[in-house]
Amino acid sequence: MEQLLPRDPLGILPEVDEDEKATQQDGALSTAALITISTVVASTLTLVILVVVMKKRRTKKAVKALAMLAARESLELGIATEYLLETFPREAQTASGASNPNFYELCEFVAIGPSGKGFGKICPRDGKVNCSIVDALETPRRGKATHFVSWCWAYSLDDVVDAIRSWTQSSNAPPSTHICLWMCFFCNNQYRILEERSATGSAELQTVFEAHLAAAGQMVVILDSFLQPHYYSRAWCLFETYVCIQQGYPRRILLPSRELEAFKETIETSGPAPIRQRIQGIDLRRAEASVKADDDVIKSMISNTCGFDTVNQVVRREILKWVLYAFEQYLSEPQAG
Ligand SMILES: *[C@@H]1O[C@H](CO)[C@@H](O)[C@H](O)[C@H]1NC(C)=O
């Protein structure tokens, strides 16, 4: 319709050179278009970059979340008793060339160095090379820890295996068939501990220990002797016992089966008096840590909270439980001769 009307019917519009007008219009159009195009391009580019960054971030976040999950799972793993009792002893003997090494002796053959079980494997906790024994194992040789084990590396392989075997075979055994034990030797990355030995403070050790205990929910304590347990002279062991008592987790004491024999012999040759004397004489003030600072920290913590007498009493009561069990075993044995 517009085209049918004359361009300037009243003749009031200034004369415009048609060519110039076209050029002007073209110029105006191209500037506007240029601005629009560049705005669109810029926004699109920003959007694309944003999407890529977000995606990358999300992927990074997802990867990070997965890694964190794997790390957490790894930290809660325990070693399956079946593996510990049936397979590990032979492996340990072969690796160390000793028939009954203690765990200090065993460490360099199975937990660290080029013959360690985790050698060359990626640690899921920090993503670096060399991992803990438990991370080097596959299910069902490991699983979420059901018990935290408080013990000493000075114990022999036989004693540890025997104490755990006696427990799993006794009527006191936990109902679960898949018992997985959190034991520092197997579950800590010993490669890292060796590297960072001096860097780890006792405060950090406490947090780590409490987290492991909380995840497992109960503790078993391995003693090597009922009359003179090496355990109660060690401040770190004492500390684990103390925290377990303070926080109300169930505890159970395990001893190697030969201690039942030692108990029987003591009853028969010396009567119950030395047993009573020993139990009443338990005093954890005497425990010592390898590092003096740890010793002071642990002892002042106990003194300032529940006090040594309370801890001593709880420990005595627990040994008493084992003594009653041993006495029952002794009484129900058929008499010799
Ligand atoms: C892994 O362990 C070997 C043997 O102990 C050691 O030489 C190496 O440095 C360790 N690698 C890392 C990344 O820690």
Side-chain angles (χ1 to χ4, degrees):
M1 285 298 267
E2 238 180 85
Q3 269 158 15
L4 295 180
L5 290 170
R7 226 206 83 73
D8 186 15
L10 302 175
I12 49 170
L13 281 176
E15 276 296 311
V16 176
D17 177 31
E18 281 299 315
D19 271 1
E20 198 187 313
K21 192 182 157 196
T23 314
Q24 266 182 6
Q25 269 182 344
D26 267 3
L29 192 95
S30 59
T31 309
L34 219 73
I35 290 170
T36 313
I37 286 168
S38 35
T39 311
V40 166
V41 165
S43 334
T44 312
L45 231 105
T46 314
L47 205 74
V48 166
I49 290 171
L50 216 78
V51 165
V52 168
V53 166
M54 291 273 277
K55 243 190 181 166
K56 256 198 180 155
R57 266 206 197 148
R58 210 173 299 157
T59 314
K60 248 191 188 166
K61 250 191 190 167
V63 167
K64 217 174 168 184
L66 269 177
M68 269 169 72
L69 198 71
R72 185 149 28 132
E73 265 178 17
S74 157
L75 286 168
E76 292 189 355
L77 285 177
I79 182 167
T81 46
E82 178 126 340
Y83 168 73
L84 187 61
L85 301 180
E86 308 309 331
T87 311
F88 181 72
R90 229 173 316 111
E91 287 180 356
Q93 285 166 339
T94 308
S96 67
S99 64
N100 188 23
N102 69 34
F103 285 80
Y104 287 115
E105 292 162 348
L106 212 46
C107 185
E108 65 174 303
F109 299 107
V110 297
I112 54 170
S115 63
K117 291 190 87 73
F119 175 71
K121 295 185 174 148
I122 299 293
C123 172
R125 300 167 196 176
D126 59 15
K128 295 184 199 156
V129 177
N130 299 338
C131 68
S132 68
I133 295 178
V134 87
D135 279 317
L137 296 174
E138 287 182 11
T139 322
R141 291 181 159 187
R142 67 175 201 196
K144 188 181 177 303
T146 57
H147 297 76
F148 179 98
V149 184
S150 184
W151 61 302
C152 317
W153 283 27
Y155 294 168
S156 71
L157 177 63
D158 280 356
D159 276 0
V160 170
V161 167
D162 187 9
I164 292 168
R165 193 188 302 283
S166 303
W167 173 49
T168 57
Q169 287 175 349
S170 74
S171 51
N172 288 332
S176 156
T177 50
H178 199 59
I179 305 170
C180 290
L181 306 175
W182 195 95
M183 297 176 83
C184 49
F185 182 86
F186 299 97
C187 301
N188 279 335
N189 187 339
Q190 303 298 344
Y191 289 94
R192 299 293 181 276
I193 289 185
L194 193 70
E195 255 172 55
E196 300 156 8
R197 182 157 281 163
S198 51
T200 313
S202 39
E204 194 182 328
L205 282 176
Q206 178 181 351
T207 318
V208 170
F209 156 67
E210 285 180 4
H212 289 308
L213 178 59
Q218 48 192 322
M219 184 189 267
V220 292
V221 173
I222 300 179
L223 301 186
D224 53 347
S225 153
F226 80 98
L227 278 182
Q228 280 176 293
H230 184 253
Y231 181 93
Y232 288 127
S233 62
R234 299 296 306 263
W236 268 107
C237 296
L238 161 64
F239 174 72
E240 291 179 349
T241 282
Y242 158 76
V243 171
C244 194
I245 292 169
Q246 263 311 83
Q247 304 195 351
Y249 292 108
R251 286 174 74 231
R252 180 191 299 278
I253 287 177
L254 314 182
L255 285 125
S257 53
R258 67 169 151 77
E259 285 305 293
L260 278 178
E261 290 306 307
F263 176 84
K264 186 173 136 190
E265 210 178 298
T266 310
I267 286 282
E268 291 195 333
T269 57
S270 330
I275 300 173
R276 179 173 62 190
Q277 195 188 352
R278 273 288 172 190
I279 290 179
Q280 293 184 359
I282 289 175
D283 187 358
L284 302 174
R285 286 177 186 89
R286 289 195 306 251
E288 277 169 20
S290 44
V291 180
K292 180 77 174 69
D294 288 347
D295 207 69
D296 294 342
V297 168
I298 292 167
K299 286 182 176 166
S300 69
M301 188 162 19
I302 295 176
S303 298
N304 295 335
T305 53
C306 60
F308 269 96
D309 291 335
T310 307
V311 179
N312 284 339
Q313 253 170 31
V314 175
V315 169
R316 281 180 206 142
R317 233 182 1 248
E318 277 172 2
I319 300 233
L320 194 63
K321 265 192 229 159
W322 182 84
V323 166
L324 290 176
Y325 158 77
F327 196 52
E328 193 183 5
Q329 297 290 109
Y330 169 70
L331 290 180
S332 45
E333 246 178 35
Q335 241 177 307

